[in-house]
Amino acid sequence: MLLSATPPPGPRPAQETRVREEAARHRGLTPPRTHPLASITWLGPAASNPALAYRIGGDPADLAESVRWIEAASRLPHWGRAHMPDHDLDAGWLLHHLALTLRWIGNDLPDDVAALLRYKLLIQGRRLYDFAVASEGRWWSSSYWQNHNWICYAGLATAGYVLGKEAWTERAKSNLATVLDVMPEDGSHAEGVVYWRYGVPFLAIHLDLLAEAEGVDWWDRGGFMTNTFDYRLHQSAPGFAFTIDHGDCHDRRSGHSAGLYYRLAAQYGIAEAQWLGDLASGELLRAEAEHSGVRPGILPEAYLEYLWYDPAVVAARPTATRAFFPDLGLLAARTGWDADATAVSFKASPGGGHRAWETSAKHRAELGHETLNQGHHHPDSGSFVLLSGGAHLAVDDGYSNRKRAEHHNLLLVDGQGYADEDRYHVYEGIPFERQARQRDVLVGDEEGWAHATAEIAAMYDPALGVRRLDRTLVFTPAGRLVLLDLAESEEPREWTFLLRTDRPTEECDDGSRLIRSGEATARVRRLAPDEASVRTGVMEVAANPTSSTPELRLTRTLHTLDVTTAASRAGLFLTAITPGAACPVAGAESAELSELSEGYGVRFADGEESVFLSPVARRIRGEGLSADAAAVLLTAAGAPYVVAATRLELAGRVLLDAADPYTGKVG
């Protein structure tokens, strides 16, 4: 498709309009005569989109526009200035776009322009190739889980196929094979949504090139590409315009790649990907283009939308509301997809996810290579993000250069976050055994329950003697949230529960707190412990998101709520969060403790929904309820759900009696 500029058969009027508009977008700009300090990645699509428009319609104005940007990019002595000139993203982007431009319109270019472009591609391709060879085992050359690797090798491959440089294409192909073999099969991406939309399109580009140039179909190799749309879908905020922003995220808008959605829809027949592609390239396009902090942004992807859109794929709106991605330990649940729905995302895994953590350790031991670049990963295992009513309520920190657990909705031990934090590569060089993980996962899409327990004790300084720090999160069918934090240590420690919001929380008369963001609200009620100190404040997280533009600075202001217990060897927090609720008045929504002799219970709205937990002892005992289980989840009308249960007796009836632990619906 890409090399021949030949899309799947069928009409594509909207996609053709996009190409024509993008081809004309820079006509009022003067190309730079010298290299700006900022990134020049945008110069590539400034040339390729008019080239494709010329291929489609034959308008000489489009040819002339492409020539303007070809000449500008080709006359720059280096691609990249502030950071790694000729050896990083600027070079990768421009090699890809300008090589395609040469392939598409080379015969129609003035002879001197064609010769200049070919010469420049040869120089820049050789520089990038030589760097990749020389730096093998270090930085992007062998950073298989990182966007720089995918972009630079896709650019090298594009130029290699167009110029007939087999050494370039073979090295890129070998790297792609490794990437596909080591990426998580579940399709998740530890760098987060922003870098998913920035980097994964280049994996698709490389696969497309490989199939067209060599007849090699690796689209199903490893499983990552097959499943990665589901990851991106379930990291969408309700209403789709915004994102759930785990990892380094410049903002909450930068998330869509309509071209990639279309390619995944065409390759795998994913109706929801086709639907989201239409939404992203239509209703959401201008807002994303205006407000996204990622450049070049979504508009330059017009060429991909045109070439990858398959009219034969029938579009369908997403319906599934629960998902779990085991490699990243990511649980995502929502009450629906409309903008006013409630959604939660909860994660816990080793740095980069299980496969990356384990495979990179093997590379280090056997090859002496550092293959897991962790710059965009955060110390956020056990943290959650909550959205409701069209707003982010419990929030993440966005982009951060000095990453800290206290930036997240997490827990501190004696005021301390993760061991070895407060740096950019927060997982670099730490012991292999320092891993978080999820257990006891329930994804009950039929009735709407979701449950998981994050084990995060290993992430804290061993000197603190933390033997257990488990966070259990339950998301109810109505969108309520229950959090149970259980901690144990060798010596008495102060335990601190953290909540981060966009605006200050408000104290209610009963001591609960109200989160407010615009018209959206959520009431936070601490059910245990009875005694704790509460402190609120403000925290600013600052970062430069790209070394290619040193003067760029992003700042996010977090409003903090910290709840700290007295020092003890055992810590406990039981918290209920009810979206849409206000400070309590007569008849208002309430969350109350349910009396149990063993275990912990929360009852909402006079038993409309009830949550019973015992994640460690797995014994729940109360009036009319006896269970050997990590959790029993009840609604007034629906069937019970259990987690890791061997026995459930409810109202005198034995509903489950099994030898092996069972998770799911009972009856």
Side-chain angles (χ1 to χ4, degrees):
M1 288 181 222
L2 291 178
L3 290 172
S4 63
T6 304
R12 61 199 67 246
Q15 290 72 35
E16 184 170 336
T17 298
R18 277 273 292 120
V19 171
R20 294 187 186 282
E21 290 177 348
E22 187 60 20
R25 184 162 65 95
H26 296 117
R27 285 184 182 174
L29 298 181
T30 300
R33 293 182 179 274
T34 59
H35 200 306
L37 187 60
S39 169
I40 59 167
T41 54
W42 66 278
L43 293 179
S48 63
N49 278 293
L52 181 59
Y54 177 71
R55 279 286 299 257
I56 296 168
D59 187 343
D62 290 326
L63 178 61
E65 180 67 3
S66 186
V67 167
R68 286 204 312 141
W69 298 102
I70 291 171
E71 290 183 320
S74 298
R75 295 189 187 281
L76 295 175
H78 300 282
W79 284 349
R81 177 181 170 187
H83 179 70
M84 295 178 62
D86 303 321
H87 298 154
D88 205 2
L89 294 175
D90 292 283
W93 271 80
L94 268 65
L95 279 172
H96 168 67
H97 283 277
L98 292 177
L100 285 183
T101 299
L102 179 63
R103 181 64 169 252
W104 293 343
I105 63 171
N107 292 334
D108 294 320
L109 292 174
D111 290 345
D112 60 333
V113 175
L116 175 65
L117 176 56
R118 180 177 291 274
Y119 175 70
K120 184 61 172 174
L121 290 171
L122 286 167
I123 289 176
Q124 295 295 158
R126 170 57 63 182
R127 289 171 177 171
L128 195 65
Y129 173 80
D130 288 347
F131 177 82
V133 172
S135 62
E136 184 172 359
R138 308 185 308 279
W139 192 201
W140 64 256
S141 181
S142 305
S143 294
Y144 304 117
W145 297 273
Q146 224 265 358
N147 68 89
H148 291 250
N149 174 282
W150 310 339
I151 293 169
C152 290
Y153 274 118
L156 190 63
T158 312
Y161 286 125
V162 171
L163 300 174
K165 292 294 183 179
E166 186 175 351
W168 301 359
T169 59
E170 282 301 306
R171 182 173 183 86
K173 179 181 177 182
S174 175
N175 178 82
L176 179 63
T178 302
V179 168
L180 296 173
D181 289 344
V182 302
M183 287 294 286
E185 185 178 1
D186 65 11
S188 61
H189 183 36
E191 289 193 316
V193 168
V194 167
Y195 284 99
W196 182 95
R197 69 88 51 232
Y198 187 69
V200 176
F202 283 88
L203 290 180
I205 284 167
H206 202 163
L207 287 166
D208 192 291
L209 295 169
L210 185 64
E212 189 172 9
E214 300 189 35
V216 176
D217 182 355
W218 281 356
W219 279 95
D220 293 325
R221 183 167 181 163
F224 173 78
M225 295 300 290
T226 311
N227 297 309
T228 197
F229 174 75
D230 276 346
Y231 160 77
R232 173 60 188 90
L233 175 65
H234 286 280
Q235 291 298 280
S236 297
F240 303 100
F242 297 93
T243 63
I244 295 172
D245 54 348
H246 295 299
D248 271 349
C249 289
H250 304 63
D251 55 81
R252 295 168 183 164
R253 280 276 192 184
S254 302
H256 288 305
S257 172
L260 180 56
Y261 298 153
Y262 285 146
R263 189 63 186 89
L264 296 175
Q267 183 66 35
Y268 304 114
I270 306 174
E272 294 85 355
Q274 189 85 338
W275 183 89
L276 193 54
D278 289 343
L279 186 69
S281 64
E283 178 184 330
L284 301 181
L285 179 69
R286 298 301 163 183
E288 170 126 357
E290 180 180 355
H291 298 294
S292 169
V294 177
R295 297 292 180 261
I298 193 172
L299 292 180
E301 292 185 358
Y303 79 110
L304 293 178
E305 294 171 35
Y306 179 87
L307 293 173
W308 281 351
Y309 174 73
D310 185 350
V313 179
V314 177
R317 183 181 174 88
T319 56
T321 58
R322 304 289 188 276
F324 180 65
F325 302 91
D327 192 86
L328 195 56
L330 180 65
L331 177 68
R334 66 189 65 229
T335 58
W337 290 99
D338 292 337
D340 61 352
T342 299
V344 71
S345 187
F346 175 50
K347 68 186 290 273
S349 66
H354 288 277
R355 177 173 285 188
W357 190 253
E358 293 164 6
T359 307
S360 64
K362 184 177 180 181
H363 292 161
R364 189 178 304 113
E366 296 180 358
L367 304 174
H369 288 183
E370 289 297 333
T371 58
L372 181 60
N373 182 281
Q374 300 145 339
H376 298 309
H377 307 170
H378 284 221
D380 59 356
S381 284
S383 183
F384 68 97
V385 175
L386 178 67
L387 307 90
S388 187
H392 287 68
L393 296 176
V395 307
D396 222 5
D397 64 344
Y399 209 108
S400 174
N401 286 152
R402 300 192 68 86
K403 299 171 171 64
R404 299 179 62 87
E406 68 175 358
H407 297 164
H408 302 275
N409 301 306
L410 257 173
L411 298 125
L412 303 181
V413 183
D414 272 358
Q416 298 182 41
Y418 284 7
D420 300 314
E421 59 173 25
D422 195 31
R423 54 184 177 144
Y424 188 59
H425 296 277
V426 73
Y427 294 103
E428 185 177 27
I430 70 174
F432 176 78
E433 295 77 16
R434 194 177 294 165
Q435 302 181 39
R437 64 185 68 251
Q438 296 273 31
R439 72 169 194 264
D440 297 337
V441 176
L442 166 69
V443 182
D445 203 45
E446 181 182 346
E447 299 289 340
W449 291 100
H451 172 289
T453 296
E455 300 176 356
I456 60 174
M459 306 312 298
Y460 297 82
D461 189 338
L464 293 170
V466 181
R467 293 197 298 248
R468 177 184 304 280
L469 217 174
D470 291 354
R471 163 165 283 178
T472 298
L473 179 146
V474 179
F475 187 75
T476 78
R480 302 169 176 120
L481 205 61
V482 174
L483 296 167
L484 175 62
D485 300 308
L486 295 177
E488 299 174 10
S489 60
E490 295 170 2
E491 301 293 334
R493 301 292 178 193
E494 291 183 346
W495 310 95
T496 302
F497 173 98
L498 309 178
L499 186 66
R500 287 15 188 163
T501 57
D502 283 338
R503 290 178 50 180
T505 57
E506 305 167 17
E507 186 174 9
C508 300
D509 290 341
D510 66 345
S512 61
R513 310 290 302 195
L514 191 67
I515 306 173
R516 191 188 302 276
S517 181
E519 298 299 316
T521 62
R523 182 185 173 214
V524 182
R525 185 172 182 201
R526 185 181 80 246
L527 299 169
D530 291 331
E531 298 294 329
S533 65
V534 178
R535 184 178 63 184
T536 61
V538 177
M539 176 183 297
E540 287 200 348
V541 179
N544 169 258
T546 172
S547 52
S548 66
T549 309
E551 73 277 9
L552 182 59
R553 180 180 174 86
L554 302 178
T555 302
R556 180 171 293 181
T557 299
L558 302 176
H559 290 273
T560 63
L561 173 66
D562 299 356
V563 180
T564 302
T565 67
S568 65
R569 288 189 175 89
L572 164 67
F573 295 97
L574 181 59
T575 309
I577 304 179
T578 306
C583 285
V585 295
E589 162 72 26
S590 63
E592 298 179 348
L593 280 170
S594 185
E595 293 296 329
L596 296 175
S597 58
E598 296 183 76
Y600 310 92
V602 181
R603 185 184 300 251
F604 292 97
D606 296 326
E608 179 182 302
E609 293 178 330
S610 298
V611 174
F612 303 99
L613 302 172
S614 181
V616 179
R618 304 201 174 190
R619 285 176 57 85
I620 300 170
R621 300 290 187 268
E623 184 177 352
L625 170 63
S626 176
D628 298 330
V632 177
L633 310 171
L634 304 176
T635 59
Y641 275 72
V642 295
V643 175
T646 55
R647 182 176 175 82
L648 173 63
E649 182 177 336
L650 197 60
R653 295 180 56 213
V654 176
L655 303 180
L656 175 70
D657 193 355
D660 298 320
Y662 168 77
T663 296
K665 185 178 180 179
V666 178

